[in-house]
């Protein structure tokens, strides 16, 4: 099924840049408000220390030293990694149909990585030392600490994604320059430094290779590697160990990233009347990916539950039993399951398909994956191999301070898209060009 | 502890020993018997003195002189054994060294080491590595390695160690660097105790995972410490430690910095690793690093606050690599004291004292060794004879932390 978007005019593409609607302002206020609420709470944390969270020591204290902050960190990193993997797949495999959402996926990656960074910043007890302690330690610690691997790999991917984005943006700005606002000239001037049309072919090739690297490294290093290794390599907690964490984390990343892209794309489509630019076929396609990744997610959960309860060692069995006895775990599973079933039902009966329903289910999936990640961290910590502490497991319910950070980071992502949409086209020019000048047909 | 360190005294080696001994002028049975006991000396199950006393008569009777007069033996050897042996009365090292030497001819050995050495020569060069870990004390290599032997059979759950630690290091309420469990276990009627400091693991996961190298093992003596100036407070060490011994400083410490003299905070390398951590930084038992560095006087080197406070003689701190240190001595003595009627029960092992490392299967190589029973997976913590509240401590720290910022202000007033 090929979707022809080549008739769409360049006007349509730059539509968000020129206009200013009431809805836009509303969204802007909402985003700033969300960020404001978080900043208010975070200032308390800065003043009093992490004591204002509901985190505590495990052991005699019976608490969890890692909680929502780390769960949300993994979740955002997952969205980011999934986003860049999908965008890379589009370029690498020449899946032109998804070209209209490729850049949104890249932008989502940048925004989500920023949020992940925010969570690391607010998670640590001494944010003031993040640079002074981490940089000097890097050469000696990077081969040891999984946390250092994470910081390294995530930074590398941030740079890679930003490069990738900047390179493809130059092509567009050059050709759309006359339609872009003059007030932003200095920004474009910076973005276009040293540009000449001769670089286009080279950039196409470079982008292909970067995409190739991302696809190869994603399962090995990224969300199938360093992130699950944060947990899977430790000798302390029964629920975290095991090689299944890699595939499981990757499946969650992809599932949540597709959901995120669906929501972003549907929002732009609605706000700017982009029915032609982002046709319904794109959503049908994304929905299938969502169903497929959801299936893999559920399959890997099943693996963990069955191997954890059948005849597992006592501590693992205990951890698994607690997991499946937690109602909110089933809410998470149910949300992903619902999305998957809907998608499969739509394949059988295409008339069932509706973008609003898909968007609603995507929100559900994002909630589900977030819940799963937080539970993974928290319940993992509540069921250590060393079981003698009476206080373990204690209770952990995220505090308002912690929850506000979730709100704040969602605000950051919304704000990011609102601002970026006023500066550059969030859909590539390639998406509406008849023939791509070489490159992505590999 | 197991006895894997002992060389296998199986049929094959016995046959070989008989053959060796038959070539000598020694009585074969006596030689074999001595070899067996010599092995126990090597394994630390039999004291040098006992070994000596047991065979002195026999030797005089048979040979007119006791070939095991070791100072003499050492003089005859080419100096190597001497340099390895610091203590002039230690038969143990000499025998171990002799049994391991490849360059000493069997004849030479026979002449100098007596029947025991002759028999043991069967194992010579077999790569037995009979030192340290393989023996019955937790020695391993050269250099200082601070550690503990905690005799849980002596503990009465009075929490004196917990209080002393908290006092000495200025810990915030609920940050029980030293912690004592009272627990009930299957098939055990009475109360049991588990005394839990940081295990100062040789293969510590906490030092491996620390992203900035703040949690580290001090080269000179194996102490696992946190550099309070570098720690970013990520709590990865706490998450990776299988024992739950880390206590993060969630808010303002109860004891202000001004009340803690510098010499308790800075170690001999000038790093800030001692006493309670500042806000936002990780803390845990330091094995009283200030004492070990002589900051509390020479007489306190090799002691800890908890050990001093323990009236029941349960905690024994010292250099685990030193046979004569308090923990190793206690292990020897305690084993010696326990009745073990091996004449009626010849199949019994040399001693009946149960020892263990906590969660040995986690691969952390702890430097805290326990005498007593290891809690089973069914063990359950119960209220102890003395409660934490009774002695002015907080057991469950979350009670303090739940007050959140309010606890901070209280802490400042306290
Ligand atoms: S007991 Fe825990 S904190 Fe102490 S050295 Fe071992 S792993 Fe590290
Ligand atoms: S909390 Fe401090 S000592 Fe522990 S791992 Fe993090 S930086 Fe290292």
């Amino acid at each position: 099924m090929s979707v022809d978007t080549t008739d769409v005019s360049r006007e349509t593409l730059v539509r968000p840049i020129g206009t200013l609607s009431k809805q836009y302002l509303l969204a802007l206020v909402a985003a700033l408000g969300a960020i404001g609420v978080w900043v208010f709470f975070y200032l308390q944390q800065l003043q009093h220390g992490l004591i204002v969270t509901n985190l505590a020591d495990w052991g005699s204290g019976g608490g969890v030293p890692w909680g929502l902050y780390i769960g949300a960190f993994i979740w955002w990193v997952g969205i980011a990694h999934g986003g860049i993997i999908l965008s890379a797949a589009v370029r690498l495999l020449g899946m032109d149909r998804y070209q209209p959402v490729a850049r949104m996926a890249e932008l989502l990656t940048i925004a989500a990585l920023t949020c992940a960074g925010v969570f690391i910043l607010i998670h640590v007890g001494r944010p003031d030392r993040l640079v002074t302690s981490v940089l000097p330690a890097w050469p000696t610690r990077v081969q040891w600490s999984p946390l250092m691997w994470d910081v390294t790999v995530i930074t590398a991917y941030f740079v890679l994604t930003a490069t990738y984005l900047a390179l493809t943006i130059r092509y567009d700005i050059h050709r759309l320059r006359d339609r872009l606002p003059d007030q932003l000239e200095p920004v474009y001037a910076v973005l276009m430094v040293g540009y000449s049309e001769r670089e286009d072919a080279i950039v196409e090739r470079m982008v292909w290779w970067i995409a190739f690297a991302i696809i190869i490294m994603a399962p090995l290093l990224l969300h199938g590697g360093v992130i699950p290794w944060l947990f899977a390599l430790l000798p302390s907690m029964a629920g975290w160990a095991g090689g299944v964490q890699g595939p499981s984390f990757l499946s969650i990343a992809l599932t949540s990233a597709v959901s995120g892209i669906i929501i972003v794309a549907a929002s732009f489509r609605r706000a700017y009347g982009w029915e032609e630019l982002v046709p319904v076929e794109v959503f049908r396609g994304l929905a299938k990916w969502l169903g497929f990744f959801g299936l893999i997610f559920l399959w890997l959960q099943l693996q963990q539950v069955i191997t954890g309860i059948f005849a597992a060692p006592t501590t693992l069995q205990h951890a698994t039993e607690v997991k499946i006895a937690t109602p909110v775990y089933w809410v998470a599973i149910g949300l992903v399951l619902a999305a998957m079933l809907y998608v499969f039902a739509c394949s059988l009966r295409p008339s069932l398909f509706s973008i609003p329903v898909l968007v609603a289910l995507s929100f559900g999936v994002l909630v589900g994956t977030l819940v799963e990640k937080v539970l993974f961290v928290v319940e993992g910590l509540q069921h250590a191999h060393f079981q003698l502490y009476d206080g373990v497991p204690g209770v952990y319910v995220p505090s308002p301070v912690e929850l506000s950070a979730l709100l704040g980071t969602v605000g950051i992502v919304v704000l990011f898209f609102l601002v970026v949409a006023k500066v550059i086209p969030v859909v590539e020019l390639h998406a509406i060009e008849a023939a791509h000048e070489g490159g992505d047909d590999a | 502890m197991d006895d894997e360190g002992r060389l296998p005294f199986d049929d094959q080696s016995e046959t070989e020993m008989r053959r060796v001994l038959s070539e000598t002028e020694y009585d074969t049975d006596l030689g074999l018997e001595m070899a067996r006991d010599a092995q126990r000396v090597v394994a630390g199950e039999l004291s040098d003195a006992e070994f000596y006393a047991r065979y002195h008569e026999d030797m005089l009777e048979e040979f007119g002189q006791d070939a095991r007069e070791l100072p003499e033996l050492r003089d005859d050897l080419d100096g190597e054994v001497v340099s390895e042996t610091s203590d002039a009365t230690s038969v143990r090292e000499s025998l171990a060294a002799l049994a391991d030497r490849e360059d000493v001819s069997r004849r030479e050995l026979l002449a100098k080491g007596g029947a025991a050495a002759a028999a043991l020569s069967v194992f010579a060069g077999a790569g037995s590595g009979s030192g340290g870990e393989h023996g019955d004390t937790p020695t391993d290599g050269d250099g200082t390695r601070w550690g503990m032997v905690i005799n849980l059979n002596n503990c009465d759950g009075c929490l004196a160690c917990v209080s002393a630690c908290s006092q000495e290091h200025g810990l915030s309420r609920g940050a029980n660097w030293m912690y004592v469990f009272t627990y009930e276990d299957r098939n055990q009627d009475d109360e049991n105790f588990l005394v839990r400091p940081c295990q100062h693991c040789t293969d510590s996961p906490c030092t491996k995972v620390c992203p900035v190298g703040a949690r580290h093992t001090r080269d000179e003596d194996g102490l696992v410490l946190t550099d309070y100036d570098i720690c970013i407070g990520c709590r990865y060490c706490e998450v990776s430690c299988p024992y739950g011994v880390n206590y993060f400083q969630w808010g303002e410490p109860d004891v202000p910095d001004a009340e803690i003299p510098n010499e308790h905070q800075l170690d001999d390398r000038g790093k800030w690793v001692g006493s309670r951590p500042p806000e936002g930084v990780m803390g845990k038992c330091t094995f009283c690093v200030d004492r070990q560095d002589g900051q509390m006087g020479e007489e306190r080197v090799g002691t800890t606050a908890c050990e001093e406070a323990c009236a029941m003689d349960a905690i024994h701190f010292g250099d685990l690599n030193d046979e004569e240190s308090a923990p190793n001595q206690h292990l020897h003595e305690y084993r010696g004291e326990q009745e073990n009627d091996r004449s009626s029960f010849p199949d019994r092992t040399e001693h009946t004292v149960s020892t263990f490392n906590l969660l040995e299967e986690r691969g952390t190589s702890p430097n805290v060794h326990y005498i007593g029973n290891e809690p089973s997976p069914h063990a359950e913590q119960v209220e102890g004879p003395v409660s934490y509240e009774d002695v002015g401590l907080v057991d469950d720290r979350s009670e303090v932390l739940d007050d959140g910022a309010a606890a901070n202000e209280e802490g400042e007033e306290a």
Side-chain angles (χ1 to χ4, degrees), chain B residues 210-212 214-215 226 231-237 282:
Chain B
C210 178
V212 294
R215 178 59 59 80
T226 316
C231 170
I232 56 171
C234 68
R235 312 190 281 290
Y236 203 9
C237 50
M282 190 58 73

